[in-house]
Amino acid sequence: MTVKELANAFDYEILCLPDEAREIRGGYAGDLLSWVMGKLDADSAWVTIMSNVNIIAVATLTDPSCIILSEGVSPDEGVLARAEQQGINLLSAKKTTFEVCADLASML
Amino acid sequence: MDKVNFHFEIDGENFTSAGEASVRIKKMLREMGFTPEIIRRVSVAMYEGEINMVIHANGGEADVNVFCDRIEIILADRGPGIPNIDLAMQEGYSTAPDNIRSLGFGAGMGLPNMKRYTDDMKIESEVGKGTTIVMTVNV
Ligand SMILES: Nc1ncnc2c1ncn2[C@@H]1O[C@H](COP(=O)(O)OP(=O)(O)OP(=O)(O)O)[C@@H](O)[C@H]1O
Ligand SMILES: [Mg+2]
């Protein structure tokens, strides 16, 4: 499943999609950045409620297929521009982190 | 033996740009043709060290030396030092203040990640003087 297919299937809002054909091969949910650094696999979807610009650095280094901001969180100022610049796909969902993970699991 | 050196000054004031040196190293290692596995290990270890210098030491300097058989990451700061290194190395130990924690830092997993992702890690620290960490990833 590509990031775009996921967004369409569950009506997630697309905040930016510089790499829309990117395949999703797994998932990880977490908000503590050094846990995420240690555990998030490349090509996975990362579900988080952290909305500050440091998530883009973490994603640039770990290479997930997208970040999904859950629980209706919106990104802080500057995050979108940085995501676009680094080629990081960013979605947002009104659903809880658990529900987003359930969506992901149903598709993988 | 030949080596290639990359040097960075790490700004201790700027949280927004924190991690930029690691992002640049990642890109350079990719251009140099290293495997994704090696690139991930080096960039995660360096990121954790870089962030620690920003959060705990008001910045510092990073050097990455690429040899043909290994990559060496040297992080040096003149921050407060680490009084008890064994304690700091424990998973979950953190002195990060609340405003930093609200950004997602402070899980106390940075130093353990650095250890786990590298083949060798040495910490030298003196209270009141600063901290130098040398990490090696064999390639
Ligand atoms: N360069 C440094 N200078 C001074 N103290 C440091 C330095 N690096 C780490 N420490 C100390 O060691 C503790 C543990 O570091 P570690 O990176 O494991 O966790 P953290 O930075 O607090 O949280 P996390 O890395 O999970 O976001 C820190 O809270 C701090 O007290
Ligand atoms: Mg840390």
Side-chain angles (χ1 to χ4, degrees):
Chain A
M1 162 188 51
T2 66
V3 175
K4 188 156 193 194
E5 284 163 1
L6 174 79
N8 290 340
F10 298 106
D11 237 354
Y12 298 163
E13 186 185 348
I14 294 174
L15 299 175
C16 77
L17 206 55
D19 195 3
E20 67 171 68
R22 192 69 192 269
E23 283 281 331
I24 301 173
R25 301 190 195 284
Y28 186 75
D31 308 314
L32 297 175
L33 298 181
S34 57
W35 275 97
V36 177
M37 280 308 274
K39 299 265 181 154
L40 176 62
D41 289 328
D43 301 318
S44 294
W46 172 24
V47 188
T48 185
I49 56 167
M50 274 297 154
S51 57
N52 67 75
V53 73
N54 296 289
I55 63 175
I56 304 303
V58 169
T60 305
L61 293 167
T62 51
D63 212 20
S65 25
C66 62
I67 304 174
I68 306 172
L69 297 177
S70 56
E71 320 267 357
V73 164
S74 51
D76 295 1
E77 214 188 304
V79 171
L80 268 181
R82 189 67 74 95
E84 196 81 61
Q85 179 202 356
Q86 297 290 347
I88 305 294
N89 295 320
L90 197 56
L91 308 178
S92 99
K94 296 220 160 34
K95 293 178 175 174
T96 65
T97 296
F98 176 78
E99 289 163 341
V100 171
C101 291
D103 287 350
L104 273 169
S106 73
M107 296 292 278
L108 287 170
Chain B
M1 204 198 311
D2 284 345
K3 69 167 184 190
V4 183
N5 169 267
F6 301 101
H7 179 81
F8 303 91
E9 305 280 332
I10 310 298
D11 183 354
E13 308 285 299
N14 193 343
F15 259 95
T16 315
S17 65
E20 239 163 45
S22 308
V23 169
R24 278 167 60 194
I25 279 297
K26 178 180 178 175
K27 289 188 173 144
M28 284 188 269
L29 293 178
R30 195 183 312 166
E31 277 164 27
M32 291 168 91
F34 287 98
T35 61
E37 151 90 6
I38 294 291
I39 295 173
R40 182 190 177 91
R41 290 174 58 201
V42 170
S43 45
V44 169
M46 179 165 170
Y47 176 78
E48 295 287 9
E50 186 183 349
I51 292 291
N52 277 356
M53 291 202 295
V54 176
I55 295 178
H56 307 295
N58 201 31
E61 292 182 29
D63 280 280
V64 177
N65 294 317
V66 181
F67 297 88
C68 52
D69 62 340
R70 67 190 190 280
I71 299 171
E72 184 180 72
I73 307 155
I74 305 171
L75 304 161
D77 68 63
R78 292 164 185 279
I82 304 174
N84 184 338
I85 294 175
D86 288 340
L87 186 62
M89 286 299 301
Q90 283 178 19
E91 292 189 1
Y93 178 82
S94 174
T95 60
D98 283 349
N99 63 321
I100 301 292
R101 287 176 191 264
S102 70
L103 295 172
F105 300 109
M109 291 301 290
L111 288 171
N113 275 349
M114 289 155 74
K115 172 109 187 133
R116 183 157 70 88
Y117 275 94
T118 56
D119 292 300
D120 187 63
M121 171 166 152
K122 289 195 177 67
I123 306 181
E124 270 175 36
S125 191
E126 201 176 326
V127 173
K129 291 237 164 100
T131 302
T132 299
I133 299 182
V134 180
M135 294 178 283
T136 309
V137 171
N138 298 328
V139 300

